[in-house]
Amino acid sequence: MSGGKPGAVPRRGMHLGVFVETTGRHLAAWRHRDVAPHAPMSLDHYRAVAAEAERGLFDLFFLADGLAIRDRSAERLGRSPKAHFEPLTLLSALSTATRHIGLVATASTTFNEPFHVARKFASLDHLSGGRAGWNIVTSSSSTEAENFGSAPIPPAAKRYQRADEFVEVVTGLWDSWDDDAVVADQQSGRYFHPQSLHALEHRGEHFQVRGPLNVTRTPQGRPLLVQAGSSDAGISFGARHGEVIYTAQTTLGDAQAFIRRIKGLAQDHGRRADDLRVLPGLFPVVGASRSEAQEKFDYLQSLVHPEVGLAQLEHHLGGVDLSAYPPDALFPELPEAQGATSRAALLAHVARRDGLTIRDLYLQVAVARGHPVVIGTASDIADFMQAWFEQGAADGFNIMPGWLPQGLGEFVDRVVPELQRRGLFRTRYEGRTVRELMGLRQPASRFAAHASAV
Ligand SMILES: Cc1cc2nc3c(=O)[nH]c(=O)nc-3n(C[C@H](O)[C@H](O)[C@H](O)COP(=O)(O)O)c2cc1C
């Protein structure tokens, strides 16, 4: 699937990841009749999700993460799970229960040390036989900062400066063992070649790291770098380092513009457009007929508790208090200062444009939070995906099932065969590592590049 002769770009199929947000992307997923109530803290649940994803020949199993219960109203209300496993720990367990799928965990560059992160992902890459990926986030929430001392969350520009140096150190540490460093020759008593082990000697603004790493070169050389920043600084960071880019895009035109922008920026940094795979999120609800899909969707919406729906909307509006307004009245005019963030302004604009009530708006926000929603037959969903894929708006999709694992199972049963029938998606796994699965090349070790340059 990967590589090919220079100049002759092989027709590549789309790539599919699953966004595993405990019991599903929908705000009320945990209340779904098919979902086990204690699933968020159950290994069996995630094993079942991973099994469905591999049955569907997915490329990536993705665990988002935050370093706090980020939404304070959730603590107060106690009406949504909000607790889940630490992603690298969970993926280490799942590495023994899966064989093909890439395992992507989120780790923060703001509240971590590069040595820890390099070591953990290198270990996961070994444990999984070359299937580890790191979703690089800088953490933007003040609730996360409160768990790491009293300093406020640094501004985005500062966070991304640290993130740049962080990635530099992590990838350097991953390069510290050459591919052939270890000989483990019991006869001669030679374990590794000392000349093939490289100290990093990093001295930077944020980190001083000697190295080398105490984990050998990983099966993929380097775990996959995944990223989802959407500010200018975030997109530019993704263009420099990201190999898989997650993004929230609502229209085909916006997605085309995004992909052109980030791949263009990557080329400005000397990378090839083909070194990045851009996967927009997609929330599908599939049924044997459109009305069956709609019924499934309506059932999910009926599970949204009014207090939770309202609290989530207030959160997205930047903390406004809507409790004084009747939920079935038209969305009110809010004082300018409260609608300050771009997301808040957008929500208020949509509400007024479409004549929505407060309840209508919180139900909209409860579904996919900014990602496109397609409710219909397998053919409807495949049409959407095919259009985006063939018109340069996506290299694949980050599928966000409304509830797990059944919502994913239905996608695998109905939509995957339709994509295969159209020649858009693989019919069996090929390749050993997640890089091979994604058609992404292995970056050369910086020490190998250095050695061949001298
Ligand atoms: C699909 C997707 C998944 C994301 N997962 C996480 C996550 O797990 N943890 C996190 O802190 N941020 C996550 N983010 C947020 C981004 O990393 C980023 O912080 C956000 O898009 C704002 O962009 P900025 O950091 O460039 O301002 C995700 C974004 C998207 C689109």
Side-chain angles (χ1 to χ4, degrees):
M1 295 242 19
S2 68
K5 295 182 212 94
V9 180
R11 166 125 168 59
R12 190 189 295 112
M14 61 172 70
H15 297 283
L16 294 183
V18 58
F19 184 88
V20 182
E21 202 170 356
T22 63
T23 50
R25 178 69 173 166
H26 193 277
L27 189 60
W30 76 274
R31 301 183 69 196
H32 195 288
R33 58 185 160 234
D34 293 342
V35 172
H38 295 286
M41 294 296 296
S42 146
L43 178 57
D44 285 347
H45 167 69
Y46 296 97
R47 257 203 219 114
V49 176
E52 288 297 44
E54 285 205 321
R55 188 167 69 82
L57 306 175
F58 272 53
D59 300 71
L60 301 173
F61 180 105
F62 167 51
L63 289 177
D65 194 44
L67 296 165
I69 295 178
R70 284 182 278 198
D71 173 0
R72 280 286 138 82
S73 62
E75 281 182 36
R76 180 173 46 81
L77 294 172
R79 292 193 176 279
S80 36
K82 292 294 163 195
H84 52 86
F85 292 117
E86 189 288 314
L88 274 156
T89 314
L90 175 56
L91 292 184
S92 300
L94 290 180
S95 70
T96 67
T98 51
R99 287 191 52 208
H100 302 283
I101 197 162
L103 302 170
V104 180
T106 298
S108 166
T109 54
T110 300
F111 302 114
N112 258 314
E113 285 290 325
F115 194 91
H116 288 317
V117 167
R119 188 173 183 222
K120 289 176 188 175
F121 280 93
S123 297
L124 181 63
D125 209 50
H126 277 287
L127 290 173
S128 62
R131 295 186 286 128
W134 171 27
N135 179 38
I136 311 167
V137 299
T138 65
S139 306
S140 52
S141 143
S142 57
T143 50
E144 294 175 278
E146 286 169 14
N147 289 335
F148 297 89
S150 54
I153 194 95
K158 276 244 166 333
R159 293 201 310 271
Y160 278 108
Q161 269 170 21
R162 177 182 162 107
D164 263 322
E165 192 182 331
F166 199 112
V167 170
E168 174 80 12
V169 176
V170 168
T171 52
L173 288 169
W174 285 338
D175 288 345
S176 47
W177 294 77
D178 289 347
D179 284 320
D180 53 3
V182 175
V183 284
D185 184 348
Q186 291 177 318
Q187 283 297 316
S188 67
R190 161 77 55 216
Y191 201 83
F192 63 86
H193 298 300
Q195 70 274 21
S196 301
L197 181 60
H198 309 279
L200 190 62
E201 304 290 4
H202 177 87
R203 295 269 173 277
E205 190 187 333
H206 301 91
F207 308 108
Q208 280 75 49
V209 182
R210 179 185 180 272
L213 195 64
N214 53 356
V215 181
T216 55
R217 184 90 172 151
T218 78
Q220 291 191 90
R222 290 181 189 174
L224 201 60
L225 298 182
V226 181
Q227 204 268 344
S230 58
S231 61
D232 285 346
I235 291 171
S236 150
F237 178 84
R240 287 194 299 281
H241 306 289
E243 299 179 287
V244 173
I245 306 288
Y246 291 136
T247 178
Q249 300 294 329
T250 46
T251 68
L252 188 143
D254 286 350
Q256 284 170 325
F258 177 81
I259 216 168
R260 271 199 303 271
R261 178 173 172 205
I262 197 157
K263 290 195 176 189
L265 285 170
Q267 286 170 305
D268 293 346
H269 289 288
R271 303 180 68 200
R272 303 177 313 167
D274 197 41
D275 290 342
L276 284 76
R277 300 279 173 274
V278 178
L279 308 186
L282 170 63
F283 183 108
V285 183
V286 61
S289 62
R290 285 184 184 166
S291 59
E292 188 189 293
Q294 189 63 43
E295 271 168 35
K296 289 180 185 182
F297 179 75
D298 292 344
Y299 167 64
L300 266 175
Q301 292 289 66
S302 75
L303 302 174
V304 177
H305 192 286
E307 282 180 0
V308 179
L310 191 67
Q312 162 111 345
L313 177 59
E314 289 172 340
H315 176 67
H316 285 307
L317 289 170
V320 303
D321 181 0
L322 294 171
S323 56
Y325 301 96
D328 291 312
L330 280 182
F331 187 79
E333 290 288 337
L334 295 172
E336 193 51 38
Q338 293 184 320
T341 68
S342 60
R343 178 164 203 149
L346 179 70
L347 285 172
H349 166 76
V350 168
R352 257 171 247 121
R353 185 193 66 196
D354 300 344
L356 302 181
T357 63
I358 291 177
R359 192 190 308 275
D360 293 334
L361 191 61
Y362 77 57
L363 283 173
Q364 241 184 48
V365 171
V367 185
R369 295 180 287 295
H371 296 269
V373 178
V374 185
I375 304 163
T377 61
S379 168
D380 292 330
I381 294 167
D383 284 349
F384 177 95
M385 296 171 76
Q386 181 166 9
W388 280 43
F389 180 64
E390 290 184 343
Q391 293 176 50
D395 295 316
F397 295 89
N398 187 23
I399 299 297
M400 304 178 145
W403 72 106
L404 289 166
Q406 292 84 354
L408 174 61
E410 294 183 5
F411 182 92
V412 170
D413 286 335
R414 295 182 189 277
V415 183
V416 167
E418 181 60 25
L419 296 172
Q420 289 168 329
R421 202 180 58 70
R422 298 181 187 196
L424 293 167
F425 190 56
R426 68 172 68 87
T427 52
R428 63 188 171 89
Y429 275 121
E430 283 175 80
R432 191 178 50 97
T433 67
V434 65
R435 284 183 183 284
E436 288 166 8
L437 206 54
M438 297 291 297
L440 289 164
R441 61 182 173 173
Q442 180 172 317
S445 159
R446 77 188 58 184
F447 296 107
H450 183 70
S452 60
V454 263

